[in-house]
Amino acid sequence: MIIQDSFKINTNKNFEIIDITSQINNLIAIENGIISIFSKHSTSAIVVNENEKGLLNDLEFMLDNLVLDKFSYQHNRIDNNARSHLKSFLLSSSESLPIKNRKLDLGTWQSVFFIELDGPRHNRTVTLTMVGE
Ligand code: ZN
């Protein structure tokens, strides 16, 4: 069985980390299988990690120090958000995760995050594709 669904996210800041674990669990429509969680935007990301405030601040700090403001990126001639795209390249636009007993089968300290890299934005779309039984 293959089931597809999606949901929208509105973001409030230029950089924002949103825990979407419970939203995904609420939309899971198979007992066991695999789910692809995909952001349809090239200035955002989907990642799995620990929902600890200091660590999430560290992620922002790391990305800002990897993709420095001081360079003149070519994409800025188009729409001035090269750094947002480049941070997205370093992360990922999707995760594939196991589903067990109609829930994400995550580790104790793992959450699924939508990362906004060029907000604030309305109607960011995350698509879910579930394959299983
Ligand atoms: Zn752009």
Side-chain angles (χ1 to χ4, degrees):
M1 180 166 42
I2 300 173
I3 296 174
Q4 293 186 304
D5 206 340
S6 68
F7 61 95
K8 303 279 189 186
I9 297 175
N10 294 325
T11 62
N12 302 304
K13 291 184 271 182
N14 181 258
F15 180 88
E16 193 171 346
I17 301 175
I18 298 168
D19 190 326
I20 57 173
T21 311
S22 58
Q23 270 170 288
I24 294 166
N25 274 326
N26 289 336
L27 292 171
I28 287 180
I30 60 173
E31 275 305 306
N32 296 293
I34 193 163
I35 184 168
S36 160
I37 303 151
F38 173 62
S39 170
K40 298 187 80 169
H41 309 278
S42 57
T43 54
S44 69
I46 302 288
V47 299
V48 174
N49 218 298
E50 182 177 347
N51 192 351
E52 191 277 313
K53 194 172 187 308
L55 180 65
L56 301 182
N57 289 334
D58 291 340
L59 172 63
E60 182 175 15
F61 176 81
M62 179 190 77
L63 290 171
D64 282 341
N65 282 283
L66 288 172
V67 186
L68 299 175
D69 213 3
K70 65 181 179 182
F71 300 116
S72 59
Y73 299 105
Q74 294 184 28
H75 182 71
N76 283 342
R77 293 187 298 230
I78 310 288
D79 63 359
N80 204 37
N81 66 353
R83 289 181 78 220
S84 304
H85 288 279
L86 292 170
K87 290 174 183 176
S88 182
F89 270 113
L90 292 173
L91 301 171
S92 174
S93 59
S94 71
E95 289 277 1
S96 292
L97 300 172
I99 294 171
K100 194 173 168 187
N101 300 325
R102 224 176 176 85
K103 279 178 61 181
L104 291 169
D105 190 24
L106 295 168
T108 306
W109 302 107
Q110 288 180 315
S111 293
V112 185
F113 298 105
F114 175 87
I115 315 282
E116 175 61 76
L117 298 166
D118 195 34
R121 298 284 188 108
H122 289 290
N123 288 325
R124 292 297 216 180
T125 302
V126 175
T127 67
L128 307 175
T129 304
M130 294 161 255
V131 180
E133 54 187 14

